[in-house]
Amino acid sequence: MSEHTPIGLDNSKGPIKALTHSGNFHVDETLGYVILHYALEPEGDLKARVLNGKSGDRLEFVRTRTPDIIKTADIVFDVGGVFDPATGRYDHHMKDKPLREDGTPYSAAGLLWKDYGAAAIRAILKEPVEDATVAAIWKSLDKSLVLPIDQDDNGVVKMGKLSLADIVSACGPAWDTAELYGQKEAKNREAQGFANAAFAVASHLVNMVDRVRASLKAASRVMAAYNAAEDKRILVMDTGMPTEKVIFENDLPVVYVVSPAGPDQWNVKAIPPVRGDFGQRVSLPEAWGGLERQKLADVSGVPDAVFAHPARFICGAGSRAGAVKMAQLALEIDAATKAASTKD
């Protein structure tokens, strides 16, 4: 994160003029603008500021390549040929470009994320959060979102089709827009395209921040439930939430996760041997596969049994107790089957 006080984050409320280049736009300067929007003036109109330069708030936004105008800006990114965060300069196109610790070149988005990302996260979350939570969210998004953009923009690894980079590029006008409609209309469509791209990127960033926040919350609850479990192979969650990531990151010996699937159903889901795989550490009993309600209740001995998937990776019961019983029975049946196989 930042090693100095970035321009505009010194508790002053004075006007800030941010600037990037005009012409073809990419995901790095689009995300860069979005980061500054949330860090400096999140209540402003993201799209109106692009189209009009101002939206009635402290943040002014300009897209140009004119050197004299670039000199007047407080924050300049992805243009200008200077990297000097202390003076608000965040270009990365020079020969001695700024690099991450692993040697990956920064893009404008990466440079701005380093200085303004934490402030943007706080604004997006709205409610006060601990510094440790902000730092964890920043680190997660730096790895999953910002680093791939750095790599794509610098020609290290291409993000590919249907990526955020591709979506941003698709917002730009076609190559022959000026030929068909004239320079003025082409310029208008370029501005509208950038505004649309910024809106899409902003929506994505907001969703990702919230999902990482929720993921950190889930991790805390999963570990609490695991520590309280009598049988560490059965993880019982009182609320449905992602569990697989925490299980594998902490190398937990969980075989089944029991959680509510609605007001009148609790499910038992088998954990795969490898994260994201289709297999199961322990499949549900073969005799249960594809059965529902009374037939499953008769075979399993669980009165409120609801279903068992034919692939035997998930089953359900009408109550928490019923679902836990199904998980316990599945482990007992698996142990008995293995014991019988060993004798044979």
Side-chain angles (χ1 to χ4, degrees), residues 83-240:
F83 171 61
D84 184 11
T87 60
R89 268 47 189 168
Y90 296 90
D91 199 9
H92 67 104
H93 293 101
M94 63 287 296
K95 182 177 180 180
D96 296 324
K97 58 181 59 182
L99 305 175
R100 289 174 171 268
E101 290 183 359
D102 65 358
T104 302
Y106 276 106
S107 71
L111 295 174
L112 289 173
W113 183 250
K114 184 178 180 181
D115 274 12
Y116 293 92
I121 290 167
R122 289 188 182 281
I124 289 170
L125 292 177
K126 296 184 184 335
E127 298 297 328
V129 292
E130 296 180 355
D131 289 346
T133 300
V134 172
I137 294 174
W138 184 94
K139 183 177 180 180
S140 177
L141 293 185
D142 185 60
K143 179 180 179 181
S144 64
L145 174 65
V146 182
L147 173 60
I149 290 174
D150 286 349
Q151 293 172 327
D152 181 272
D153 194 70
N154 286 286
V156 177
V157 179
K158 192 171 181 60
M159 293 183 77
K161 290 295 181 183
L162 299 182
S163 65
L164 194 60
D166 197 51
I167 291 170
V168 168
S169 293
C171 290
W175 69 268
D176 60 348
T177 301
E179 181 180 302
L180 294 175
Y181 306 105
Q183 289 291 344
K184 183 177 180 180
E185 178 61 17
K187 189 173 182 179
N188 289 338
R189 293 194 181 196
E190 178 195 304
Q192 186 63 57
F194 188 94
N196 291 338
F199 186 82
V201 170
S203 299
H204 185 67
L205 179 62
V206 168
N207 288 339
M208 288 194 72
V209 166
D210 199 48
R211 289 177 71 86
V212 174
R213 174 204 57 77
S215 177
L216 295 172
K217 183 178 179 180
S220 175
R221 292 194 181 183
V222 169
M223 291 307 300
Y226 174 76
N227 291 331
E230 293 184 13
D231 186 338
K232 301 302 184 184
R233 299 171 298 173
I234 301 174
L235 181 69
V236 182
M237 303 299 302
D238 291 326
T239 305

Side-chain angles (χ1 to χ4, degrees), residues 255-310:
V255 175
Y256 298 122
V257 175
V258 177
S259 62
D264 301 311
Q265 184 171 316
W266 285 67
N267 284 348
V268 181
K269 185 176 180 182
I271 296 299
V274 178
R275 185 181 176 190
D277 198 359
F278 285 113
Q280 300 93 43
R281 288 178 172 177
V282 177
S283 298
L284 294 168
E286 186 175 358
W288 297 4
L291 299 183
E292 296 183 4
R293 300 196 179 276
Q294 192 58 52
K295 289 184 179 180
L296 180 58
D298 292 341
V299 172
S300 67
V302 179
D304 63 346
V306 176
F307 81 102
H309 195 281

